[in-house]
PDB file of all heavy atoms in Angstrom:
ATOM      1  N   PRO A   1      51.364 101.866  -4.428  1.00 86.00           N
ATOM      2  CA  PRO A   1      50.918 102.975  -5.283  1.00 86.00           C
ATOM      3  C   PRO A   1      50.834 102.625  -6.760  1.00 86.00           C
ATOM      4  O   PRO A   1      50.169 103.319  -7.511  1.00 86.00           O
ATOM      5  CB  PRO A   1      51.970 104.058  -5.035  1.00 86.00           C
ATOM      6  CG  PRO A   1      53.172 103.336  -4.547  1.00 86.00           C
ATOM      7  CD  PRO A   1      52.666 102.124  -3.818  1.00 86.00           C
ATOM      8  N   THR A   2      51.489 101.562  -7.194  1.00 88.00           N
ATOM      9  CA  THR A   2      51.439 101.202  -8.616  1.00 88.00           C
ATOM     10  C   THR A   2      50.539 100.002  -8.886  1.00 88.00           C
ATOM     11  O   THR A   2      50.519  99.496 -10.000  1.00 88.00           O
ATOM     12  CB  THR A   2      52.852 100.893  -9.159  1.00 88.00           C
ATOM     13  OG1 THR A   2      53.361  99.733  -8.497  1.00 88.00           O
ATOM     14  CG2 THR A   2      53.789 102.071  -8.975  1.00 88.00           C
ATOM     15  N   ALA A   3      49.782  99.566  -7.897  1.00 90.00           N
ATOM     16  CA  ALA A   3      48.904  98.408  -8.099  1.00 90.00           C
ATOM     17  C   ALA A   3      47.722  98.779  -8.989  1.00 90.00           C
ATOM     18  O   ALA A   3      47.218  99.901  -8.952  1.00 90.00           O
ATOM     19  CB  ALA A   3      48.404  97.876  -6.764  1.00 90.00           C
ATOM     20  N   VAL A   4      47.301  97.811  -9.779  1.00 92.00           N
ATOM     21  CA  VAL A   4      46.158  97.970 -10.675  1.00 92.00           C
ATOM     22  C   VAL A   4      45.147  96.893 -10.323  1.00 92.00           C
ATOM     23  O   VAL A   4      45.506  95.722 -10.152  1.00 92.00           O
ATOM     24  CB  VAL A   4      46.604  97.804 -12.149  1.00 92.00           C
ATOM     25  CG1 VAL A   4      45.422  97.846 -13.082  1.00 92.00           C
ATOM     26  CG2 VAL A   4      47.616  98.870 -12.521  1.00 92.00           C
ATOM     27  N   ALA A   5      43.877  97.276 -10.226  1.00 94.00           N
ATOM     28  CA  ALA A   5      42.815  96.306  -9.948  1.00 94.00           C
ATOM     29  C   ALA A   5      42.269  95.779 -11.271  1.00 94.00           C
ATOM     30  O   ALA A   5      41.949  96.546 -12.174  1.00 94.00           O
ATOM     31  CB  ALA A   5      41.695  96.950  -9.136  1.00 94.00           C
ATOM     32  N   LEU A   6      42.187  94.465 -11.371  1.00 95.00           N
ATOM     33  CA  LEU A   6      41.533  93.799 -12.494  1.00 95.00           C
ATOM     34  C   LEU A   6      40.261  93.188 -11.940  1.00 95.00           C
ATOM     35  O   LEU A   6      40.295  92.501 -10.925  1.00 95.00           O
ATOM     36  CB  LEU A   6      42.434  92.703 -13.060  1.00 95.00           C
ATOM     37  CG  LEU A   6      43.848  93.106 -13.459  1.00 95.00           C
ATOM     38  CD1 LEU A   6      44.645  91.878 -13.893  1.00 95.00           C
ATOM     39  CD2 LEU A   6      43.830  94.150 -14.557  1.00 95.00           C
ATOM     40  N   VAL A   7      39.132  93.434 -12.599  1.00 98.00           N
ATOM     41  CA  VAL A   7      37.848  92.945 -12.102  1.00 98.00           C
ATOM     42  C   VAL A   7      37.170  92.147 -13.204  1.00 98.00           C
ATOM     43  O   VAL A   7      37.108  92.577 -14.360  1.00 98.00           O
ATOM     44  CB  VAL A   7      36.946  94.107 -11.626  1.00 98.00           C
ATOM     45  CG1 VAL A   7      35.615  93.587 -11.135  1.00 98.00           C
ATOM     46  CG2 VAL A   7      37.640  94.915 -10.529  1.00 98.00           C
ATOM     47  N   TYR A   8      36.628  91.002 -12.809  1.00 98.00           N
ATOM     48  CA  TYR A   8      35.944  90.092 -13.721  1.00 98.00           C
ATOM     49  C   TYR A   8      34.570  89.777 -13.163  1.00 98.00           C
ATOM     50  O   TYR A   8      34.374  89.713 -11.949  1.00 98.00           O
ATOM     51  CB  TYR A   8      36.741  88.792 -13.891  1.00 98.00           C
ATOM     52  CG  TYR A   8      38.128  89.033 -14.424  1.00 98.00           C
ATOM     53  CD1 TYR A   8      39.176  89.376 -13.574  1.00 98.00           C
ATOM     54  CD2 TYR A   8      38.382  88.961 -15.788  1.00 98.00           C
ATOM     55  CE1 TYR A   8      40.443  89.636 -14.065  1.00 98.00           C
ATOM     56  CE2 TYR A   8      39.650  89.212 -16.291  1.00 98.00           C
ATOM     57  CZ  TYR A   8      40.677  89.548 -15.424  1.00 98.00           C
ATOM     58  OH  TYR A   8      41.928  89.811 -15.910  1.00 98.00           O
ATOM     59  N   ILE A   9      33.612  89.548 -14.052  1.00 98.00           N
ATOM     60  CA  ILE A   9      32.258  89.186 -13.660  1.00 98.00           C
ATOM     61  C   ILE A   9      31.954  87.781 -14.178  1.00 98.00           C
ATOM     62  O   ILE A   9      32.362  87.417 -15.288  1.00 98.00           O
ATOM     63  CB  ILE A   9      31.222  90.212 -14.200  1.00 98.00           C
ATOM     64  CG1 ILE A   9      29.816  89.889 -13.687  1.00 98.00           C
ATOM     65  CG2 ILE A   9      31.261  90.300 -15.709  1.00 98.00           C
ATOM     66  CD1 ILE A   9      28.784  90.981 -13.991  1.00 98.00           C
ATOM     67  N   SER A  10      31.249  87.004 -13.365  1.00 97.00           N
ATOM     68  CA  SER A  10      30.779  85.694 -13.824  1.00 97.00           C
ATOM     69  C   SER A  10      29.621  85.962 -14.777  1.00 97.00           C
ATOM     70  O   SER A  10      28.521  86.315 -14.361  1.00 97.00           O
ATOM     71  CB  SER A  10      30.335  84.848 -12.630  1.00 97.00           C
ATOM     72  OG  SER A  10      29.830  83.615 -13.084  1.00 97.00           O
ATOM     73  N   TRP A  11      29.902  85.813 -16.064  1.00 96.00           N
ATOM     74  CA  TRP A  11      28.948  86.237 -17.090  1.00 96.00           C
ATOM     75  C   TRP A  11      27.876  85.186 -17.368  1.00 96.00           C
ATOM     76  O   TRP A  11      26.720  85.498 -17.580  1.00 96.00           O
ATOM     77  CB  TRP A  11      29.715  86.572 -18.361  1.00 96.00           C
ATOM     78  CG  TRP A  11      28.913  87.354 -19.346  1.00 96.00           C
ATOM     79  CD1 TRP A  11      28.435  86.911 -20.542  1.00 96.00           C
ATOM     80  CD2 TRP A  11      28.501  88.708 -19.221  1.00 96.00           C
ATOM     81  NE1 TRP A  11      27.751  87.913 -21.173  1.00 96.00           N
ATOM     82  CE2 TRP A  11      27.774  89.034 -20.378  1.00 96.00           C
ATOM     83  CE3 TRP A  11      28.668  89.681 -18.243  1.00 96.00           C
ATOM     84  CZ2 TRP A  11      27.216  90.296 -20.582  1.00 96.00           C
ATOM     85  CZ3 TRP A  11      28.119  90.939 -18.449  1.00 96.00           C
ATOM     86  CH2 TRP A  11      27.407  91.232 -19.603  1.00 96.00           C
ATOM     87  N   GLU A  12      28.294  83.930 -17.394  1.00 94.00           N
ATOM     88  CA  GLU A  12      27.354  82.832 -17.611  1.00 94.00           C
ATOM     89  C   GLU A  12      28.011  81.544 -17.136  1.00 94.00           C
ATOM     90  O   GLU A  12      29.184  81.522 -16.802  1.00 94.00           O
ATOM     91  CB  GLU A  12      26.948  82.735 -19.080  1.00 94.00           C
ATOM     92  CG  GLU A  12      28.094  82.443 -20.028  1.00 94.00           C
ATOM     93  CD  GLU A  12      27.675  82.488 -21.486  1.00 94.00           C
ATOM     94  OE1 GLU A  12      26.537  82.091 -21.796  1.00 94.00           O
ATOM     95  OE2 GLU A  12      28.494  82.900 -22.315  1.00 94.00           O
ATOM     96  N   VAL A  13      27.221  80.478 -17.120  1.00 91.00           N
ATOM     97  CA  VAL A  13      27.741  79.170 -16.733  1.00 91.00           C
ATOM     98  C   VAL A  13      27.517  78.226 -17.902  1.00 91.00           C
ATOM     99  O   VAL A  13      26.419  78.151 -18.451  1.00 91.00           O
ATOM    100  CB  VAL A  13      27.041  78.646 -15.454  1.00 91.00           C
ATOM    101  CG1 VAL A  13      27.554  77.262 -15.095  1.00 91.00           C
ATOM    102  CG2 VAL A  13      27.250  79.620 -14.299  1.00 91.00           C
ATOM    103  N   ASP A  14      28.589  77.517 -18.295  1.00 93.00           N
ATOM    104  CA  ASP A  14      28.528  76.583 -19.401  1.00 93.00           C
ATOM    105  C   ASP A  14      29.006  75.220 -18.902  1.00 93.00           C
ATOM    106  O   ASP A  14      30.165  75.082 -18.522  1.00 93.00           O
ATOM    107  CB  ASP A  14      29.413  77.079 -20.554  1.00 93.00           C
ATOM    108  CG  ASP A  14      29.343  76.194 -21.784  1.00 93.00           C
ATOM    109  OD1 ASP A  14      28.322  75.484 -21.963  1.00 93.00           O
ATOM    110  OD2 ASP A  14      30.311  76.193 -22.565  1.00 93.00           O
ATOM    111  N   ASN A  15      28.105  74.235 -18.893  1.00 92.00           N
ATOM    112  CA  ASN A  15      28.426  72.895 -18.395  1.00 92.00           C
ATOM    113  C   ASN A  15      29.035  72.928 -16.997  1.00 92.00           C
ATOM    114  O   ASN A  15      30.030  72.255 -16.720  1.00 92.00           O
ATOM    115  CB  ASN A  15      29.368  72.159 -19.352  1.00 92.00           C
ATOM    116  CG  ASN A  15      28.694  71.784 -20.650  1.00 92.00           C
ATOM    117  OD1 ASN A  15      27.501  71.489 -20.677  1.00 92.00           O
ATOM    118  ND2 ASN A  15      29.441  71.797 -21.731  1.00 92.00           N
ATOM    119  N   GLY A  16      28.479  73.773 -16.138  1.00 89.00           N
ATOM    120  CA  GLY A  16      28.950  73.866 -14.760  1.00 89.00           C
ATOM    121  C   GLY A  16      30.180  74.720 -14.557  1.00 89.00           C
ATOM    122  O   GLY A  16      30.656  74.859 -13.434  1.00 89.00           O
ATOM    123  N   GLN A  17      30.722  75.292 -15.628  1.00 90.00           N
ATOM    124  CA  GLN A  17      31.919  76.134 -15.543  1.00 90.00           C
ATOM    125  C   GLN A  17      31.537  77.602 -15.686  1.00 90.00           C
ATOM    126  O   GLN A  17      30.833  77.973 -16.633  1.00 90.00           O
ATOM    127  CB  GLN A  17      32.909  75.764 -16.649  1.00 90.00           C
ATOM    128  CG  GLN A  17      33.476  74.385 -16.553  1.00 90.00           C
ATOM    129  CD  GLN A  17      34.441  74.255 -15.389  1.00 90.00           C
ATOM    130  OE1 GLN A  17      35.157  75.178 -15.046  1.00 90.00           O
ATOM    131  NE2 GLN A  17      34.441  73.097 -14.763  1.00 90.00           N
ATOM    132  N   ASP A  18      32.015  78.440 -14.754  1.00 91.00           N
ATOM    133  CA  ASP A  18      31.792  79.875 -14.871  1.00 91.00           C
ATOM    134  C   ASP A  18      32.582  80.429 -16.044  1.00 91.00           C
ATOM    135  O   ASP A  18      33.743  80.080 -16.249  1.00 91.00           O
ATOM    136  CB  ASP A  18      32.226  80.608 -13.601  1.00 91.00           C
ATOM    137  CG  ASP A  18      31.232  80.437 -12.466  1.00 91.00           C
ATOM    138  OD1 ASP A  18      30.022  80.541 -12.725  1.00 91.00           O
ATOM    139  OD2 ASP A  18      31.672  80.220 -11.323  1.00 91.00           O
ATOM    140  N   ILE A  19      31.939  81.298 -16.815  1.00 95.00           N
ATOM    141  CA  ILE A  19      32.591  82.043 -17.881  1.00 95.00           C
ATOM    142  C   ILE A  19      32.824  83.445 -17.321  1.00 95.00           C
ATOM    143  O   ILE A  19      31.876  84.158 -16.993  1.00 95.00           O
ATOM    144  CB  ILE A  19      31.713  82.126 -19.146  1.00 95.00           C
ATOM    145  CG1 ILE A  19      31.279  80.736 -19.615  1.00 95.00           C
ATOM    146  CG2 ILE A  19      32.413  82.925 -20.232  1.00 95.00           C
ATOM    147  CD1 ILE A  19      32.401  79.845 -20.066  1.00 95.00           C
ATOM    148  N   TRP A  20      34.093  83.817 -17.192  1.00 97.00           N
ATOM    149  CA  TRP A  20      34.469  85.103 -16.607  1.00 97.00           C
ATOM    150  C   TRP A  20      34.810  86.097 -17.701  1.00 97.00           C
ATOM    151  O   TRP A  20      35.517  85.765 -18.652  1.00 97.00           O
ATOM    152  CB  TRP A  20      35.662  84.940 -15.674  1.00 97.00           C
ATOM    153  CG  TRP A  20      35.357  84.082 -14.498  1.00 97.00           C
ATOM    154  CD1 TRP A  20      35.597  82.742 -14.379  1.00 97.00           C
ATOM    155  CD2 TRP A  20      34.728  84.479 -13.288  1.00 97.00           C
ATOM    156  NE1 TRP A  20      35.169  82.293 -13.164  1.00 97.00           N
ATOM    157  CE2 TRP A  20      34.627  83.340 -12.461  1.00 97.00           C
ATOM    158  CE3 TRP A  20      34.249  85.683 -12.809  1.00 97.00           C
ATOM    159  CZ2 TRP A  20      34.064  83.385 -11.203  1.00 97.00           C
ATOM    160  CZ3 TRP A  20      33.682  85.732 -11.546  1.00 97.00           C
ATOM    161  CH2 TRP A  20      33.595  84.596 -10.754  1.00 97.00           C
ATOM    162  N   ARG A  21      34.301  87.330 -17.540  1.00 97.00           N
ATOM    163  CA  ARG A  21      34.621  88.397 -18.484  1.00 97.00           C
ATOM    164  C   ARG A  21      35.185  89.593 -17.713  1.00 97.00           C
ATOM    165  O   ARG A  21      34.724  89.892 -16.614  1.00 97.00           O
ATOM    166  CB  ARG A  21      33.373  88.850 -19.238  1.00 97.00           C
ATOM    167  CG  ARG A  21      32.864  87.850 -20.245  1.00 97.00           C
ATOM    168  CD  ARG A  21      31.791  88.492 -21.082  1.00 97.00           C
ATOM    169  NE  ARG A  21      31.309  87.605 -22.116  1.00 97.00           N
ATOM    170  CZ  ARG A  21      30.337  87.925 -22.955  1.00 97.00           C
ATOM    171  NH1 ARG A  21      29.763  89.119 -22.878  1.00 97.00           N
ATOM    172  NH2 ARG A  21      29.946  87.076 -23.868  1.00 97.00           N
ATOM    173  N   PRO A  22      36.133  90.299 -18.319  1.00 97.00           N
ATOM    174  CA  PRO A  22      36.675  91.482 -17.653  1.00 97.00           C
ATOM    175  C   PRO A  22      35.690  92.649 -17.716  1.00 97.00           C
ATOM    176  O   PRO A  22      34.930  92.771 -18.685  1.00 97.00           O
ATOM    177  CB  PRO A  22      37.939  91.793 -18.456  1.00 97.00           C
ATOM    178  CG  PRO A  22      37.651  91.255 -19.818  1.00 97.00           C
ATOM    179  CD  PRO A  22      36.782  90.036 -19.599  1.00 97.00           C
ATOM    180  N   LEU A  23      35.701  93.476 -16.698  1.00 98.00           N
ATOM    181  CA  LEU A  23      34.877  94.685 -16.729  1.00 98.00           C
ATOM    182  C   LEU A  23      35.641  95.790 -17.452  1.00 98.00           C
ATOM    183  O   LEU A  23      36.876  95.817 -17.404  1.00 98.00           O
ATOM    184  CB  LEU A  23      34.545  95.144 -15.314  1.00 98.00           C
ATOM    185  CG  LEU A  23      33.626  94.243 -14.500  1.00 98.00           C
ATOM    186  CD1 LEU A  23      33.199  94.959 -13.225  1.00 98.00           C
ATOM    187  CD2 LEU A  23      32.408  93.777 -15.262  1.00 98.00           C
ATOM    188  N   PRO A  24      34.895  96.689 -18.115  1.00 98.00           N
ATOM    189  CA  PRO A  24      33.441  96.787 -18.167  1.00 98.00           C
ATOM    190  C   PRO A  24      32.836  95.797 -19.168  1.00 98.00           C
ATOM    191  O   PRO A  24      33.478  95.406 -20.130  1.00 98.00           O
ATOM    192  CB  PRO A  24      33.205  98.214 -18.627  1.00 98.00           C
ATOM    193  CG  PRO A  24      34.439  98.607 -19.365  1.00 98.00           C
ATOM    194  CD  PRO A  24      35.560  97.825 -18.749  1.00 98.00           C
ATOM    195  N   GLN A  25      31.582  95.424 -18.897  1.00 98.00           N
ATOM    196  CA  GLN A  25      30.806  94.561 -19.796  1.00 98.00           C
ATOM    197  C   GLN A  25      29.447  95.215 -20.023  1.00 98.00           C
ATOM    198  O   GLN A  25      28.846  95.761 -19.102  1.00 98.00           O
ATOM    199  CB  GLN A  25      30.594  93.170 -19.197  1.00 98.00           C
ATOM    200  CG  GLN A  25      31.799  92.274 -19.309  1.00 98.00           C
ATOM    201  CD  GLN A  25      32.171  91.946 -20.745  1.00 98.00           C
ATOM    202  OE1 GLN A  25      31.324  91.662 -21.583  1.00 98.00           O
ATOM    203  NE2 GLN A  25      33.465  91.988 -21.016  1.00 98.00           N
ATOM    204  N   THR A  26      28.961  95.147 -21.247  1.00 97.00           N
ATOM    205  CA  THR A  26      27.726  95.819 -21.628  1.00 97.00           C
ATOM    206  C   THR A  26      26.662  94.817 -22.056  1.00 97.00           C
ATOM    207  O   THR A  26      26.954  93.876 -22.795  1.00 97.00           O
ATOM    208  CB  THR A  26      27.987  96.800 -22.796  1.00 97.00           C
ATOM    209  OG1 THR A  26      29.012  97.712 -22.414  1.00 97.00           O
ATOM    210  CG2 THR A  26      26.733  97.571 -23.166  1.00 97.00           C
ATOM    211  N   GLU A  27      25.450  95.037 -21.579  1.00 97.00           N
ATOM    212  CA  GLU A  27      24.252  94.306 -22.029  1.00 97.00           C
ATOM    213  C   GLU A  27      23.418  95.287 -22.848  1.00 97.00           C
ATOM    214  O   GLU A  27      23.244  96.448 -22.443  1.00 97.00           O
ATOM    215  CB  GLU A  27      23.413  93.833 -20.832  1.00 97.00           C
ATOM    216  CG  GLU A  27      23.924  92.610 -20.149  1.00 97.00           C
ATOM    217  CD  GLU A  27      23.504  91.316 -20.851  1.00 97.00           C
ATOM    218  OE1 GLU A  27      22.730  91.352 -21.822  1.00 97.00           O
ATOM    219  OE2 GLU A  27      23.964  90.267 -20.403  1.00 97.00           O
ATOM    220  N   TYR A  28      22.891  94.834 -23.975  1.00 97.00           N
ATOM    221  CA  TYR A  28      22.097  95.695 -24.848  1.00 97.00           C
ATOM    222  C   TYR A  28      20.630  95.287 -24.763  1.00 97.00           C
ATOM    223  O   TYR A  28      20.300  94.107 -24.879  1.00 97.00           O
ATOM    224  CB  TYR A  28      22.596  95.595 -26.290  1.00 97.00           C
ATOM    225  CG  TYR A  28      24.016  96.077 -26.436  1.00 97.00           C
ATOM    226  CD1 TYR A  28      25.085  95.185 -26.351  1.00 97.00           C
ATOM    227  CD2 TYR A  28      24.283  97.421 -26.638  1.00 97.00           C
ATOM    228  CE1 TYR A  28      26.386  95.622 -26.468  1.00 97.00           C
ATOM    229  CE2 TYR A  28      25.600  97.874 -26.760  1.00 97.00           C
ATOM    230  CZ  TYR A  28      26.638  96.972 -26.665  1.00 97.00           C
ATOM    231  OH  TYR A  28      27.929  97.403 -26.769  1.00 97.00           O
ATOM    232  N   PHE A  29      19.774  96.289 -24.572  1.00 96.00           N
ATOM    233  CA  PHE A  29      18.330  96.088 -24.516  1.00 96.00           C
ATOM    234  C   PHE A  29      17.682  97.006 -25.552  1.00 96.00           C
ATOM    235  O   PHE A  29      18.326  97.944 -26.047  1.00 96.00           O
ATOM    236  CB  PHE A  29      17.790  96.445 -23.121  1.00 96.00           C
ATOM    237  CG  PHE A  29      18.369  95.611 -22.013  1.00 96.00           C
ATOM    238  CD1 PHE A  29      19.496  96.041 -21.315  1.00 96.00           C
ATOM    239  CD2 PHE A  29      17.794  94.400 -21.650  1.00 96.00           C
ATOM    240  CE1 PHE A  29      20.032  95.284 -20.295  1.00 96.00           C
ATOM    241  CE2 PHE A  29      18.323  93.643 -20.629  1.00 96.00           C
ATOM    242  CZ  PHE A  29      19.442  94.078 -19.943  1.00 96.00           C
ATOM    243  N   GLU A  30      16.411  96.761 -25.845  1.00 95.00           N
ATOM    244  CA  GLU A  30      15.706  97.617 -26.800  1.00 95.00           C
ATOM    245  C   GLU A  30      15.643  99.058 -26.330  1.00 95.00           C
ATOM    246  O   GLU A  30      15.682  99.985 -27.137  1.00 95.00           O
ATOM    247  CB  GLU A  30      14.291  97.079 -27.046  1.00 95.00           C
ATOM    248  CG  GLU A  30      14.257  95.825 -27.877  1.00 95.00           C
ATOM    249  CD  GLU A  30      12.843  95.348 -28.152  1.00 95.00           C
ATOM    250  OE1 GLU A  30      11.888  96.146 -27.983  1.00 95.00           O
ATOM    251  OE2 GLU A  30      12.701  94.188 -28.544  1.00 95.00           O
ATOM    252  N   ASP A  31      15.545  99.249 -25.013  1.00 94.00           N
ATOM    253  CA  ASP A  31      15.393 100.612 -24.483  1.00 94.00           C
ATOM    254  C   ASP A  31      16.678 101.171 -23.866  1.00 94.00           C
ATOM    255  O   ASP A  31      16.639 102.142 -23.121  1.00 94.00           O
ATOM    256  CB  ASP A  31      14.241 100.682 -23.490  1.00 94.00           C
ATOM    257  CG  ASP A  31      14.345  99.658 -22.376  1.00 94.00           C
ATOM    258  OD1 ASP A  31      15.112  98.699 -22.519  1.00 94.00           O
ATOM    259  OD2 ASP A  31      13.660  99.824 -21.352  1.00 94.00           O
ATOM    260  N   GLY A  32      17.824 100.564 -24.160  1.00 96.00           N
ATOM    261  CA  GLY A  32      19.070 101.142 -23.660  1.00 96.00           C
ATOM    262  C   GLY A  32      20.133 100.099 -23.373  1.00 96.00           C
ATOM    263  O   GLY A  32      20.010  98.929 -23.734  1.00 96.00           O
ATOM    264  N   THR A  33      21.162 100.533 -22.687  1.00 98.00           N
ATOM    265  CA  THR A  33      22.283  99.661 -22.355  1.00 98.00           C
ATOM    266  C   THR A  33      22.484  99.604 -20.845  1.00 98.00           C
ATOM    267  O   THR A  33      22.163 100.541 -20.118  1.00 98.00           O
ATOM    268  CB  THR A  33      23.592 100.172 -22.986  1.00 98.00           C
ATOM    269  OG1 THR A  33      23.859 101.495 -22.518  1.00 98.00           O
ATOM    270  CG2 THR A  33      23.529 100.145 -24.492  1.00 98.00           C
ATOM    271  N   LEU A  34      23.021  98.495 -20.415  1.00 98.00           N
ATOM    272  CA  LEU A  34      23.430  98.298 -19.027  1.00 98.00           C
ATOM    273  C   LEU A  34      24.910  97.961 -19.051  1.00 98.00           C
ATOM    274  O   LEU A  34      25.330  97.057 -19.777  1.00 98.00           O
ATOM    275  CB  LEU A  34      22.650  97.138 -18.390  1.00 98.00           C
ATOM    276  CG  LEU A  34      23.200  96.605 -17.066  1.00 98.00           C
ATOM    277  CD1 LEU A  34      23.112  97.654 -15.970  1.00 98.00           C
ATOM    278  CD2 LEU A  34      22.459  95.341 -16.665  1.00 98.00           C
TER     279      LEU A  34
END
C-alpha cells in the first residue's frame, strides 16, 4: 500500500547510450505541447 511507481522514458540516445528522463516530460511545438 505504500509503494510508489517511478517511471522513466528513453528520451534520446547519445553515443549508443539511452538518456532516461523521469515522467512527466514535455515536448514543445509551435501549435501546442505534448
Side-chain angles (χ1 to χ4, degrees):
T2 65
V4 175
L6 306 175
V7 179
Y8 301 84
I9 185 171
S10 177
W11 195 250
E12 62 186 325
V13 178
D14 183 24
N15 290 327
Q17 295 289 326
D18 284 316
I19 306 295
W20 296 95
R21 289 190 177 178
L23 292 190
Q25 282 296 317
T26 304
E27 281 278 355
Y28 297 93
F29 299 93
E30 287 182 17
D31 54 343
T33 59
L34 166 65

